[in-house]
Amino acid sequence: MIRLIATDLDGTLLNNEHKISDYNKKVISAVNEKGIKVILSTGRPTSAATKFLDDLNIETDMISFNGAMITDRKGDILYENNLESEIGKELIEIAKKYKIYHQGFLGERWNLSDSKSKWLDFYISIAKINNYSVGFDNIKDFSFSKFMFIGENEILKEIAKELDKKLKDKVYYTFSRPVYLEVHSPNVSKAKALSFLLNKYNIRKENVMAFGDNNNDIEMLEIAEISVAVENAENIVKEKAKYITKSNIENGVGYFINEYFNLGL
């Protein structure tokens, strides 16, 4: 019996306008009323994801920063695991070497390399936050909840190779989009954060349903009994998932939940 549903946001629960559709809201509300927990699990900073909890109006915890932070409905931190400060400094140097736009988050703190970059405009258009500080010179703590390299995929692949070479056991990285290379503490993933919550709720993995679309969702899908990729997911994600539902713009998450639980919506 499914007791918990975990879903990614961008490209999965959210449509291409980066919103939760009225249909998905209705389905999640209905399944929540049945006593099934719904967890939002995202690579977004906490501040860029909280509004979706407000949209759903459900009492639940949230996984953000790809699992580096878990907060409750009030925004209080239940768990966090940040990059070490010395690693943060090394990541900045790697970014400078490749002359690529980069940014780092530590909770609500957001530092970035270039306020005039097209990649900042792109990121803000999706995340809908703009509380940034330009530069890294004035910070004392270089630990990060998440560090991001943003740019062309071919350059990011080269950076990933360098991370494997220089920092292999000291970081965990993932692509949440082809143009986003996101770096975390080596003990961070959506799967590990979800496991933390399962222990908290005393829920077993066989009672979990999970939805995703990109590489940073794979480990979370692998621990769920019912793993579902949306139709627009990366091919590798669809290969790993047990089921494929409709795309994010076709309310794929809501469609699958409705059919699975026979909600009649």
Side-chain angles (χ1 to χ4, degrees), residues 17-200:
E17 285 73 49
H18 311 294
K19 297 179 180 179
I20 304 175
S21 70
D22 289 340
Y23 180 77
N24 279 341
K25 289 178 186 176
K26 185 186 301 184
V27 170
I28 288 175
S29 177
V31 80
N32 184 64
E33 288 177 6
K34 287 180 172 287
I36 298 167
K37 288 187 175 293
V38 179
I39 300 294
L40 303 184
S41 181
T42 180
R44 285 176 176 241
T46 308
S47 60
T50 303
K51 58 191 172 188
F52 299 112
L53 282 180
D54 296 336
D55 289 344
L56 294 172
N57 194 29
I58 56 176
E59 291 297 320
T60 189
D61 301 324
M62 182 176 66
I63 297 169
S64 56
F65 291 118
N66 283 320
M69 184 175 288
I70 303 174
T71 48
D72 64 16
R73 188 64 182 87
K74 297 177 182 177
D76 293 330
I77 297 173
L78 303 177
Y79 167 90
E80 64 178 327
N81 191 325
N82 300 323
L83 279 162
E84 294 180 3
S85 186
E86 290 304 310
I87 300 300
K89 292 177 183 178
E90 288 192 56
L91 294 172
I92 292 170
E93 291 306 310
I94 291 172
K96 289 178 179 177
K97 173 182 174 181
Y98 286 89
K99 296 181 173 61
I100 193 167
Y101 174 83
H102 53 286
Q103 55 186 28
F105 296 89
L106 181 61
E108 297 298 307
R109 192 192 76 191
W110 174 18
N111 293 83
L112 51 87
S113 60
D114 181 6
S115 62
K116 296 181 181 179
S117 171
K118 69 175 182 178
W119 295 112
L120 173 60
D121 294 338
F122 177 74
Y123 185 82
I124 289 176
S125 73
I126 295 170
K128 307 298 184 187
I129 54 174
N130 59 4
N131 56 321
Y132 60 80
S133 297
V134 181
F136 295 83
D137 295 337
N138 295 324
I139 63 174
K140 295 180 180 179
D141 183 0
F142 285 85
S143 59
F144 297 106
S145 309
K146 175 170 72 171
F147 189 91
M148 297 179 70
F149 301 94
I150 304 181
E152 300 301 334
N153 185 251
E154 289 304 313
I155 300 175
L156 296 182
K157 286 179 179 177
E158 291 301 313
I159 294 174
K161 290 178 183 177
E162 182 150 347
L163 294 178
D164 284 335
K165 185 177 179 180
K166 288 186 174 181
L167 301 171
K168 186 169 185 178
D169 298 321
K170 298 179 180 179
V171 299
Y172 161 79
Y173 68 80
T174 185
F175 286 88
S176 63
R177 292 173 180 267
V179 296
Y180 287 1
L181 176 56
E182 309 191 354
V183 188
H184 299 275
S185 160
N187 296 314
V188 163
S189 73
K190 289 185 177 183
K192 290 174 181 174
L194 180 57
S195 294
F196 176 93
L197 289 177
L198 294 182
N199 288 332
K200 176 189 174 188

